[in-house]
Amino acid sequence: MSYVGPDFDPPQPRRSALRRPLTVAVAAVVVGAVAGWGVWQAVGDSGGGSGANQAAGQTPRSATNAPATSAGSPSGEPTASEDGKKASPSASSSSPATDGPLKGKVVVVDPGHNPGNFQHTTEINRKVNIGTGTKECDTTGTTTNDGYMEAEFTLDVSRRLRALLEQQGATVKFTQDEDRPWGPCIDERARIGNEAEADAVVSIHADGSGTGSRGFHVILPGSVNEGTADTRPIVGPSRALGERIAGKFVRATGTAPSNYVGDGTGLVTRQDLGGLNLSTVPKVFIECGNMRDSNDAALLTSGAWRQKAAQGISEGIVSFLRG
């Protein structure tokens, strides 16, 4: 997520050395492509890569495996479509189930970054106040070595999570659903949760650490009382939320806590994240894995694993909200 520094190079467009020789071949391929369109319509995209990667100058990357179906769904329908976009008809707020254990609860899901941030570096580099100082409005996020964007990953997991929470009766609001060209800034992300008077807020991310760094970790707000930031009222409930999510995430995904931060607990406390510093409601971040490690990347690019990740986060939120 935000560990990407100024030395991070955004993925560059891939150029084919065979562009000119392929000109003649294109005409022959068109006929086959038309026939192939019908097959593609029947099987659908496997998720992961989308037009947002093209906007970033990347060759779209498909994630492997379709999401699992929901055991709690009487119809056996998937909890989300294969690209994660079928979870809810609304980009900003869901239509909750009429009944369920989370009826009356509001959950804000914050998909980290935005696929369009790559094209709006001036806007996202603008400094905003985080209470204890200033920080960049947002960042591009990281990618796997094969070019699968963190911003695509966070949206997919968030949409799957929304579907699961709606089944429990919750009202789910997003900070962004690829419905804006960039952002929002970190201070606005916090404000969305505050103004919604959310019962819980979870910001979805994946890390960009070095090879060999593996596992997930949940970031908790530290005690901050400076400037416009005062996290003291939310430190306790945020820790309870983070602990529930960490425990359920291990069980649902089978992955271990981070081997490079958190001393094996899967929990990290930070005071430098505006999204936490400016929150007035219980909020945590979760780094679901390290995109720069090939073993973790194999999980993060799997639709089936992303469904498990969403399930673990959902179960943690439900456990927290039900007390």
Side-chain angles (χ1 to χ4, degrees):
M1 76 159 216
S2 53
Y3 298 141
V4 177
D7 58 339
F8 176 70
D9 295 322
Q12 300 298 313
R14 299 189 176 109
R15 300 178 180 274
S16 172
L18 301 177
R19 181 179 298 174
R20 292 177 181 172
L22 285 176
T23 301
V24 176
V26 168
V29 173
V30 167
V31 175
V34 172
W37 172 256
V39 176
W40 184 89
Q41 288 282 61
V43 300
D45 182 20
S46 62
S50 78
N53 276 353
Q54 293 175 322
Q58 296 182 311
T59 300
R61 168 167 169 78
S62 295
T64 59
N65 302 328
T69 58
S70 169
S73 172
S75 63
E77 288 297 317
T79 57
S81 68
E82 292 187 345
D83 64 2
K85 294 183 179 180
K86 197 176 180 180
S88 170
S90 170
S92 58
S93 179
S94 70
S95 299
T98 56
D99 226 341
L102 298 188
K103 182 178 180 181
K105 299 294 186 180
V106 176
V107 179
V108 170
V109 177
D110 177 30
H113 314 288
N114 183 318
N117 280 359
F118 280 105
Q119 294 184 319
H120 294 272
T121 54
T122 299
E123 292 90 341
I124 67 171
N125 284 331
R126 175 175 62 86
K127 296 295 181 68
V128 298
N129 191 299
I130 65 167
T132 56
T134 62
K135 205 166 186 178
E136 289 77 11
C137 156
D138 202 1
T139 65
T140 59
T142 187
T143 70
T144 65
N145 294 329
D146 289 336
Y148 179 50
M149 298 170 64
E150 179 188 357
E152 288 291 330
F153 169 84
T154 65
L155 278 166
D156 185 78
V157 172
S158 295
R159 289 163 178 159
R160 296 168 188 266
L161 174 59
R162 175 171 56 191
L164 294 167
L165 292 172
E166 287 175 346
Q167 291 176 0
Q168 300 294 316
T171 296
V172 183
K173 299 178 183 291
F174 271 28
T175 57
Q176 62 93 13
D177 196 4
E178 206 171 4
D179 52 353
R180 53 189 294 164
W182 57 274
C185 295
I186 53 179
D187 56 342
E188 183 182 352
R189 291 174 185 266
R191 188 163 58 250
I192 290 170
N194 297 344
E195 292 178 350
E197 298 182 346
D199 297 286
V201 183
V202 179
S203 189
I204 310 296
H205 289 270
D207 206 358
S209 188
T211 299
S213 297
R214 297 199 60 190
F216 77 93
H217 62 279
V218 179
I219 304 176
L220 314 174
S223 182
V224 174
N225 181 26
E226 184 178 340
T228 57
D230 185 0
T231 62
R232 292 174 298 174
I234 68 164
V235 166
S238 295
R239 171 167 284 275
L241 172 62
E243 290 173 347
R244 301 292 180 92
I245 289 176
K248 299 295 185 180
F249 197 85
V250 169
R251 294 180 60 183
T253 65
T255 55
S258 169
N259 64 5
Y260 59 102
V261 291
D263 297 323
T265 65
L267 300 173
V268 177
T269 300
R270 292 177 61 175
Q271 298 176 320
D272 63 324
L273 298 177
L276 295 180
N277 288 359
L278 299 176
S279 183
T280 59
V281 293
K283 182 174 182 178
V284 299
F285 283 43
I286 179 167
E287 299 278 3
C288 296
N290 175 25
M291 301 197 94
R292 292 297 190 171
D293 178 83
S294 59
N295 292 303
D296 269 15
L299 300 176
L300 298 168
T301 54
S302 162
W305 188 89
R306 292 196 301 272
Q307 186 67 27
K308 293 177 182 179
Q311 185 70 45
I313 298 169
S314 172
E315 290 177 0
I317 293 171
V318 171
S319 176
F320 168 73
L321 293 179
R322 297 189 70 181

